[in-house]
Amino acid sequence: MKLPNGYGSITKLTGNRRKPWMARVTCNETYDETKHDYVRKRIVLGYYPTKKAALEALSIYNESPFKPEDVNITFSQIYEKYKKSAAYAKLKSSALTSRQTAYKYCAPLYDIKIRDLNKDMLQNVIDSIQLGSSSKKNVLTVMRIVVDYAYDHNLINKKYTDGINIEYSDPVIDRIPFTEQEIATLWSMSDDWDVKVLLILLYSGMRVNELLKNYRDNVNLEDHWIYVPAELAKNKESCRYVPIHNKVYDLVKWFVDNSASYGHDKLMLNPNGSVIMYNNFVSRNLPRINKFMSVEHKFHDTRHTFASRGTSAGIPELYMQKIMGHTPRSILYNTYTHITIPELLEWINLIS
């Protein structure tokens, strides 16, 4: 049976092959410098076990054609397209970090052609991740972004992420609060700039990137607060004024003065004038401090320590929520209660 012009072609390859039937389509004309003429380049749609399967592939393509040059596009290439989108540009800092981390767990899929992808491949990656269900859902979000793109551009004819199973589990996170003795040891080392970072976090309850990515202009030393702007906030309540504890006031001032001396807009610079980066601190500075103290703390242990110490000091839950950027569960507290910075300062300074 002769196929219509421009429909594509089917060829049976020689030899003992599992999929001997090749389906091809033609791209738009391009100029060939060697032939001094316009030529049509043919691209392989795929290889199939039967002629019927190859014809079905051609039929699907002609019903909803895609760019032939995308026939071999991979999982990672589609994600790179997504990174150039307006949706990606609008991601807040915390969401961006979460998306980047989740994408790393998709590494087994990076080089797989999207047309070769199937549900089992996606499920196997999800099942292999040794994290809690919340983190797995972040990975599934990345998979959906890629699969939805492929589906919307007619590269695949079904959404393979539908029906992916994630069993609920508690987060695989082991938080170990700093002990009073460990905090005392940190104070004895407080001349070191990286220890200053930990102490500010321990006495503010801030999320790590709320501090590290903040700007010098968001610090008011006169009124004792650090402002967390919307771009760094995890949610609406996280956009807030964090009171500066009296004990770490001089440490915050050190970073303000250091930043000003370099004329930098960012707050958290090391003595060399470089912006303090999360990954560098975790891989270099925190291990150094842990080794010196013979402990194994994670960066986010500081926030959990603040919560524990604040509760032990008798700070009411509402004030802890306001300081830490949590949403109060009560509509009364969330909507009609207004708390001032002086009130928060009074409470936060109960922490010894």
Side-chain angles (χ1 to χ4, degrees):
M1 178 182 70
K2 180 176 173 58
L3 297 174
N5 290 337
Y7 190 85
S9 64
I10 297 216
T11 305
K12 185 175 184 182
L13 304 176
T14 59
N16 185 21
R17 301 170 184 263
R18 188 169 61 89
K19 296 180 178 181
W21 293 93
M22 175 177 66
R24 291 187 293 183
V25 295
T26 55
C27 298
N28 294 330
E29 288 186 344
T30 56
Y31 188 77
D32 189 320
E33 295 286 349
T34 57
K35 296 182 178 179
H36 303 289
D37 196 5
Y38 286 92
V39 297
R40 286 182 177 272
K41 182 180 179 181
R42 290 195 292 180
I43 290 182
V44 176
L45 271 184
Y47 298 89
Y48 306 91
T50 64
K51 183 177 182 180
K52 180 180 178 181
L55 283 169
E56 286 177 353
L58 272 182
S59 176
I60 291 172
Y61 169 76
N62 280 282
E63 286 177 6
S64 302
F66 53 83
K67 293 180 180 178
E69 58 266 29
D70 284 343
V71 68
N72 293 321
I73 195 169
T74 64
F75 186 97
S76 61
Q77 287 172 332
I78 289 180
Y79 190 77
E80 288 301 316
K81 288 178 179 287
Y82 162 67
K83 286 171 64 176
K84 298 175 183 178
S85 69
Y88 188 86
K90 291 178 181 178
L91 289 176
K92 290 185 177 181
S93 177
S94 57
L96 180 60
T97 300
S98 174
R99 195 65 47 84
Q100 291 170 337
T101 301
Y103 176 64
K104 291 179 182 178
Y105 285 100
C106 296
L109 305 172
Y110 285 176
D111 297 327
I112 293 178
K113 295 177 183 178
I114 200 67
R115 293 175 60 78
D116 293 336
L117 198 67
N118 59 53
K119 182 179 176 181
D120 287 341
M121 293 178 184
L122 302 178
Q123 186 70 64
N124 288 338
V125 170
I126 292 291
D127 292 342
S128 69
I129 299 172
Q130 301 300 309
L131 295 173
S133 54
S134 178
S135 297
K136 289 184 177 183
K137 287 178 182 177
N138 290 336
V139 176
L140 181 56
T141 296
V142 170
M143 292 177 173
R144 284 199 176 108
I145 288 168
V146 172
V147 169
D148 286 355
Y149 176 96
Y151 182 82
D152 292 343
H153 288 78
N154 303 314
L155 296 172
I156 54 178
N157 58 13
K158 65 185 299 185
K159 294 187 177 183
Y160 298 116
T161 46
D162 291 348
I164 292 291
N165 180 50
I166 296 179
E167 293 185 3
Y168 175 80
S169 64
D170 293 324
V172 185
I173 302 174
D174 186 18
R175 299 297 189 207
I176 306 173
F178 285 76
T179 66
E180 295 299 322
Q181 180 57 51
E182 289 166 357
I183 294 173
T185 302
L186 288 175
W187 276 113
S188 71
M189 303 163 59
S190 61
D191 286 341
D192 298 344
W193 67 266
D194 46 6
V195 175
K196 286 180 169 68
V197 173
L198 290 183
L199 286 168
I200 292 172
L201 291 170
L202 282 166
Y203 282 84
S204 68
M206 297 176 74
R207 296 177 179 88
V208 175
N209 279 330
E210 289 178 345
L211 178 66
L212 295 190
K213 294 187 177 182
N214 218 317
Y215 296 88
R216 176 160 48 89
D217 286 346
N218 287 331
V219 180
N220 187 318
L221 292 174
E222 182 177 352
D223 293 331
H224 288 237
W225 51 255
I226 301 173
Y227 178 63
V228 178
E231 65 190 86
L232 300 180
K234 184 177 182 180
N235 50 47
K236 181 181 177 181
E237 291 299 324
S238 297
C239 184
R240 67 198 188 281
Y241 294 89
V242 180
I244 300 174
H245 193 293
N246 289 343
K247 278 199 166 186
V248 295
Y249 178 89
D250 288 341
L251 307 187
V252 174
K253 186 177 185 301
W254 184 90
F255 281 106
V256 170
D257 293 341
N258 184 52
S259 171
S261 70
Y262 284 102
H264 209 291
D265 60 340
K266 285 295 182 73
L267 170 64
M268 303 303 288
L269 272 59
N270 65 25
N272 296 324
S274 299
V275 175
I276 301 170
M277 305 298 291
Y278 181 100
N279 289 339
N280 290 342
F281 197 101
V282 168
S283 63
R284 302 172 189 171
N285 303 89
L286 190 57
R288 178 191 75 81
I289 297 170
N290 277 338
K291 183 177 180 180
F292 180 84
M293 297 173 61
S294 299
V295 295
E296 285 298 329
H297 281 300
K298 297 180 175 66
F299 222 161
H300 293 280
D301 289 351
T302 55
R303 185 166 160 86
H304 286 256
T305 303
F306 177 86
S308 298
R309 298 181 82 216
T311 301
S312 298
I315 302 176
E317 182 181 3
L318 174 62
Y319 291 88
M320 287 293 291
Q321 290 169 336
K322 288 293 184 181
I323 293 170
M324 299 185 71
H326 288 161
T327 304
R329 285 171 286 187
S330 166
I331 295 177
L332 172 65
Y333 287 152
N334 193 28
T335 306
Y336 299 104
T337 303
H338 302 282
I339 298 175
T340 65
I341 294 295
E343 288 180 87
L344 294 179
L345 281 168
E346 183 177 346
W347 285 111
I348 200 172
N349 280 308
L350 291 179
I351 299 174
S352 61

